Amino acid sequence: GDSKTIEASLAASGHALTLEGAREYLREWCDIMNPEYMMASTPHDFALKEGSLSGFVNDGVNKEAMKLPGAFADVSTAAKSCDPQEEDSPTLIDENSDFLSKVLMKICEERDLPVALKIGAHRGVNASLGTAGDGVVAFADAGVLARLCTRFPKVRFLATFLSRNNQHEACVLASKFRNLHIYGCWWFCNNPSIIHEITQMRVEMLGTAFTAQHSDARVLDQLLYKWSHSRGVIASVLQKEYSKLCETGWRATRTEIRRDIYRLFGGSYEEFMCKSFT
């Protein structure tokens, strides 16, 4: 929805300020980077209303929001503060604009590229801390993900939620949509107790059809502890599950255990990435 940044990028690269210009811009960078997927961390107020993706607005502008006081306030000034009372107010650029439907999704279908979404961050909860002041949305709208998977069945979606409260619904959605793969324990969910809870629930609901953890290392030093404690926690979850199998009379072989671990730590992701619905 940040049209100013999009327009500035198009102008700087010599592309027309049109939807086709935006598509050409993405095609150009796809050729340069050869990406594995597109990724975005959605803002806390990102929303797609039921049925809103069936009738697109060509200009992508939220006309009701334009009528509000301060609608044309300087963007750089507004970005420096975060007023909790404004959380439910509409944004100037409609999240259901053509940039999503006729640019991003169009290119993803054209190039057979997945979209990776990180959902539930609330930026600038404490603006005085700068980039360290981000928080979490208690209940992100998981319906957004369901509507995206429904509206764009040819696009594969990778998703992770920041709030513990969304994890169960995410598992249910992953079991209903073949074009959805959930992964990792992101950011505030990267605590041993929460990793254990989420992984156990995912194993119970999805088997090995998910990715248990991802690096997400914006700070390289995070790798020093994240993988070691994640492996230990996930191993304890699997040990209990294999113990349950033993109690039923089925003893898992080393080959079966290696297969399961491989899938949880990348194999399931690779299988999902090899799927093509175009």
Side-chain angles (χ1 to χ4, degrees), residues 25-38:
Y25 179 83
L26 288 182
R27 291 186 186 108
E28 183 178 290
W29 278 102
C30 284
D31 291 338
I32 293 171
M33 298 180 67
N34 189 28
E36 189 160 330
Y37 49 74
M38 303 282 197

Side-chain angles (χ1 to χ4, degrees), residues 38 41 53 61-62 125 129 185 202 208 245 251-252 258:
M38 303 282 197
S41 178
L53 291 175
V61 174
N62 184 338
V125 169
L129 296 178
C185 298
R202 288 173 174 173
T208 57
L245 284 178
R251 293 183 177 274
R258 289 194 181 102

Side-chain angles (χ1 to χ4, degrees), residues 51-71:
S52 62
L53 291 175
S54 60
F56 305 113
V57 179
N58 287 332
D59 57 12
V61 174
N62 184 338
K63 294 179 173 59
E64 292 302 314
M66 293 178 67
K67 301 175 184 178
L68 297 177

Side-chain angles (χ1 to χ4, degrees), residues 19-257:
L19 294 177
E20 180 57 29
R23 287 191 288 266
E24 282 299 323
Y25 179 83
L26 288 182
R27 291 186 186 108
E28 183 178 290
W29 278 102
C30 284
D31 291 338
I32 293 171
M33 298 180 67
N34 189 28
E36 189 160 330
Y37 49 74
M38 303 282 197
M39 174 169 271
S41 178
T42 62
H44 70 275
D45 58 352
F46 181 76
L48 292 172
K49 296 180 181 179
E50 191 72 47
S52 62
L53 291 175
S54 60
F56 305 113
V57 179
N58 287 332
D59 57 12
V61 174
N62 184 338
K63 294 179 173 59
E64 292 302 314
M66 293 178 67
K67 301 175 184 178
L68 297 177
F72 297 95
D74 183 76
V75 174
S76 61
T77 300
K80 294 178 181 178
S81 62
C82 180
D83 184 353
Q85 295 180 351
E86 295 180 355
E87 187 164 323
D88 296 324
S89 64
T91 52
L92 180 58
I93 300 300
D94 195 336
E95 293 88 347
N96 305 315
S97 72
D98 291 336
F99 288 127
L100 174 68
S101 62
K102 297 185 179 179
V103 178
L104 178 60
M105 294 304 169
K106 187 78 171 179
I107 295 301
C108 286
E109 290 181 356
E110 180 182 299
R111 298 287 178 123
D112 199 16
L113 283 172
V115 175
L117 296 172
K118 303 169 82 172
I119 303 169
H122 193 154
R123 303 297 181 187
V125 169
N126 185 345
S128 66
L129 296 178
T131 56
D134 296 341
V136 58
V137 178
F139 291 93
D141 180 13
V144 169
L145 188 56
R147 289 189 284 278
L148 285 172
C149 289
T150 300
R151 179 63 181 84
F152 303 102
K154 294 182 179 180
V155 177
R156 289 160 290 164
F157 292 92
L158 303 157
T160 191
F161 285 85
L162 187 53
S163 175
R164 174 189 180 191
N165 299 319
N166 286 114
Q167 303 305 326
H168 182 256
E169 187 174 3
C171 286
V172 174
L173 291 177
S175 72
K176 303 302 177 184
F177 292 98
R178 64 173 186 164
N179 59 333
L180 174 61
H181 182 85
I182 59 174
Y183 67 93
C185 298
W186 175 35
W187 203 350
F188 299 121
C189 283
N190 183 40
N191 300 318
S193 60
I194 300 181
I195 294 173
H196 188 284
E197 175 186 317
I198 292 174
T199 302
Q200 182 172 332
M201 177 172 57
R202 288 173 174 173
V203 169
E204 291 172 351
M205 297 182 69
L206 300 173
T208 57
F210 68 96
T211 298
Q213 190 57 292
H214 68 307
S215 66
D216 191 39
R218 291 189 299 171
V219 180
L220 190 59
D221 293 354
Q222 291 173 343
L223 288 176
L224 297 177
Y225 73 90
K226 185 168 186 178
W227 282 111
S228 60
H229 81 215
S230 292
R231 285 197 300 268
V233 172
I234 294 168
S236 69
V237 172
L238 293 178
Q239 185 272 324
K240 291 180 181 178
E241 295 302 315
Y242 291 128
S243 294
K244 294 177 185 177
L245 284 178
C246 287
E247 292 173 2
T248 68
W250 179 13
R251 293 183 177 274
T253 65
R254 287 180 179 271
T255 299
E256 289 172 330
I257 293 173

